[in-house]
Amino acid sequence: MYRIRFHGRGGQGMKTASRILGTAFFLEGYEVQDAPRYGAERRGAPIFAYVRADRAPINERGIIRHPDLVIVADDSLVPIPAAGVLAGITDHSLMLINSAEKEQVWKQRLNHSGSILTLPVAADVTERAELPYVGAACAGAAARLIGVISEAALEQAINDELSDLGADIVNKNLHNAVAAYRAMASHAGLVKEGSLVSAVDYEAPDWIDLPFDDARISAPTIHAAATSVLVKTGLWRTQRPVIDFDHCKGCWWICSSYCPDGAINVVDAKPVIDYDHCKGCMVCVAQCPSHAIEAIPEKQAKADEDAMRLEIGEIT
Amino acid sequence: MKRTLLTGNGAAAWAARLAAVDYIPAFPITPQTEIIETLADWIDTGEITGRLVTMESEHSMVTAAGSAAATGVRVFSATSSQGLLYAMEMLYTVSGWRAPFVLANVSRGLSAPITLEPDHNDILAARDSGFLQIHCASCQEVLDSTLMAYRLAEDERIRLPVIVNLDGFYLSFTREPVEIPDADAARQFVGSFDAENIRFRASAPESQAVAVLGGGPYSYFRYETHLAAINGAAVYDEIAEEFSRRFGRKHDAVEAYRADDADYLFVMMGSFASKAREAVDRLREDGWAIGLLRPRLLRPLPVVHLQKLLAKRKAVAVIDQNISMGMGGILHSELASVLYGRNDAPTVLASFIGGLGGRDISTEEFFEMAQSIRQAVETGQTPAPRLLYTQTELREVRKLQAIAQVERQQLGAIDD
């Protein structure tokens, strides 16, 4: 059985990637299981999706504990424990990371004795929010690394999964996926099917008898005010709303009232966006009647910010 | 017939479509919403006829479902977890009306603490409501069971609503190959809803639910509902047989996997049972005579099948993905009741609780449960009920508690 895990952020097309790969396997005559896994659904939050494929009906279910292939669409997730990118990785696991950094860097950083590859199309995909194209590229690369999926099956899978989105989007995805598929030619078939667990020689679970804790400890209650302030949900943002004060009429209330996260405050008759907590939903951009709020790709905004800080000597 | 990849939610929507439902009262809740979204899309594009109405709550939704069913139209609805519990008052009420319809429940653990992932305490809270219950372990089963559920609900020997249960995430959002029957074949199997005397009409107002004073009439109506539910066991067998003849897939009231010659058995419900199948295969390779029983039908409980299938086994591990506070696993209690006083009952009926809130059950844990019941046979001591829980998991919780403690202290300091 093949066991594949895709890691990314909500909005980057990981579910789509798993579906493209699942459908491609299915078209090649495999039994398939594919599924996304996320918590409360939010753009930018870590999610993963997985695919199992086998010639026989599949009885395994749920999260993949020991993947044969892990694809990371967003390298900023690797160091986040909650994202679980490294969970259950063994020497057998191949990692494919969408990253501008070299494979050797990742190998040393993760001290991973198995194979690590980076996705060469990463450079083309400069914009994280350039949806599901990253996902399609990941699926294309995975298909080739697995080695049992033809280019035709991959193309058919993309057509099947994305046809509702129109010819333009299908073509862009096809382009990226096929490029990634071809880029992995020299590694075709590098992914090997993992083995089955043995009932003879297995690691026994470290079961315990759960002790009684009184309700002062065991009730699921933590009372604290303003806890949401502590969670920097601004990290989820892929687009940044930026106010153009030349056009802002200082109306006092529209953008700040519509902001579903209360991340816009009005200070001295001017709206101020709290970028630590703005998730980049762009509701303010849509609502501002004077079109004074612009949506800027987060990466570009960060780069501009760094350039500015460099210029004023804040950083060197 | 078409074989394609579908999620459990997609399979439920397809079944409602194939059953040509007339009315769908709806209210969204994760992880169910995709079912009603799919049906809404089809209605919007004209692929199906019928009426979908979004209600203001699940309580109203089940009221609307029961009321519509009482006019003699075919009704489908879907909910999950907190939504099912919010509708609880009306579950008992509409089953008492003896108005048949099908409700999909996408299992999700109950609050508090709140979660999105599955266990069976939501569906089992509806155990005594008068709804019949079918529990699914694959996306194909979701589709097939929903079609079968209409036959069961509308059968003149039953006339009760039916819940088809599928686990959140593990089925709801998981795609698997599913055979979608041809519309004509499905239509022929499900048949049309002959509502007979169920003819509530807005144009001819009359009272639907009668009040009774005194225990005599009340007991009569309640026990008649019970007898109708009991009839469900034999009727289910007939329907499963016919389904198998028409579509080539047999969904017995109790799935028996590699159980014929098994000395040892796992018993569990829902999609996690397919993990048990995997463990059975591995253990069989190691020479174990072990199998799996999985009740598909939980209400009515297929008592005769279970007694037969459990007879003369050495030991049974019942794995409950639910917990009755102060008692333990619900299926374990039910099986103990099914087996009590029978000479051929297994001597070891061990209780395990696992998979609460979607907590994974590893293959190794199945191996360990098998070892545990084999040891019980050797020592003659049935093990105490066990929660599948590891030292590692407790350590994680202790870490979180330590953080919470610091938080409390800091907050206390602020208060001072």
Side-chain angles (χ1 to χ4, degrees), chain A:
Chain A
M1 187 188 307
Y2 287 105
R3 301 173 180 90
I4 296 119
R5 231 167 45 202
F6 290 92
H7 293 268
R9 292 182 183 274
Q12 287 175 334
M14 291 303 98
K15 179 178 167 187
T16 306
S18 70
R19 287 191 163 198
I20 291 170
L21 189 66
T23 297
F25 264 123
F26 185 64
L27 292 168
E28 294 289 1
Y30 280 78
E31 293 299 306
V32 173
Q33 195 186 75
D34 64 49
R37 184 61 73 96
Y38 33 72
E41 296 157 58
R42 286 193 186 98
R43 239 177 110 84
I47 78 147
F48 64 91
Y50 54 84
V51 180
R52 287 189 174 88
D54 201 353
R55 289 291 179 185
I58 297 169
N59 281 321
E60 279 189 13
R61 276 199 183 280
I63 55 166
I64 289 175
R65 285 167 174 262
H66 298 294
D68 307 317
L69 172 63
V70 172
I71 295 135
V72 189
D74 187 323
D75 61 1
S76 68
L77 289 173
V78 178
I80 299 177
V85 171
L86 301 172
I89 301 263
T90 65
D91 295 356
H92 165 82
S93 320
L94 169 64
M95 289 189 76
L96 176 71
I97 307 176
N98 178 21
S99 176
E101 291 183 285
K102 294 271 184 298
E103 287 157 11
Q104 204 50 42
V105 172
W106 282 108
K107 257 187 109 62
Q108 282 171 356
R109 192 178 281 164
L110 301 177
N111 195 21
H112 177 56
S113 46
S115 304
I116 295 185
L117 296 172
T118 51
L119 199 58
V121 294
D124 298 338
V125 188
T126 50
E127 173 40 45
R128 276 189 190 167
E130 192 150 313
L131 306 182
Y133 311 132
V134 184
C138 288
R144 195 58 175 279
L145 291 171
I146 292 157
V148 298
I149 295 167
S150 66
E151 195 172 307
L154 174 68
E155 288 184 5
Q156 183 61 48
I158 289 170
N159 278 309
D160 288 357
E161 291 303 324
L162 303 178
S163 58
D164 289 350
L165 302 175
D168 261 10
I169 291 185
V170 170
N171 287 334
K172 273 185 192 159
N173 279 287
L174 275 173
H175 173 81
N176 284 322
V178 169
Y181 184 89
R182 290 180 184 165
M184 290 293 146
S186 58
H187 306 294
L190 196 58
V191 177
K192 298 285 177 247
E193 291 181 75
S195 54
L196 299 167
V197 188
S198 157
V200 186
D201 177 25
Y202 67 92
E203 197 181 327
D206 55 341
W207 282 345
I208 48 154
D209 294 323
L210 195 61
F212 168 77
D213 290 337
D214 76 46
R216 276 167 298 201
I217 293 174
S218 63
T221 46
I222 302 174
H223 299 284
T227 48
S228 52
V229 175
L230 303 172
V231 183
K232 305 280 190 211
T233 45
L235 292 170
W236 302 356
R237 197 170 54 234
T238 54
Q239 297 271 320
R240 179 187 294 194
V242 176
I243 300 169
D244 172 0
F245 287 103
D246 291 340
H247 290 95
C248 171
K249 303 261 197 296
C251 72
W252 273 82
W253 64 274
I254 294 180
C255 56
S256 63
S257 302
Y258 275 102
C259 175
D261 276 298
I264 305 181
N265 292 311
V266 181
V267 182
D268 299 332
K270 277 172 120 185
V272 178
I273 299 175
D274 166 11
Y275 288 118
D276 280 347
H277 299 99
C278 163
K279 293 170 186 154
C281 70
M282 302 296 128
V283 166
C284 56
V285 175
Q287 293 300 335
C288 176
S290 359
H291 307 293
I293 310 179
E294 240 189 317
I296 298 187
E298 185 63 21
K299 257 194 177 168
Q300 185 196 320
K302 274 217 177 84
D304 292 352
E305 217 171 52
D306 286 348
M308 180 72 82
R309 289 169 71 197
L310 194 67
E311 207 178 283
I312 62 171
E314 246 186 48
I315 50 169
T316 49

Side-chain angles (χ1 to χ4, degrees), chain B residues 318-340:
Chain B
V318 185
I319 304 148
D320 272 286
Q321 202 177 356
N322 64 73
I323 184 164
S324 170
M325 306 302 174
M327 179 57 191
I330 293 170
L331 186 59
H332 181 262
S333 301
E334 299 226 327
L335 293 184
S337 146
V338 159
L339 293 169
Y340 183 76

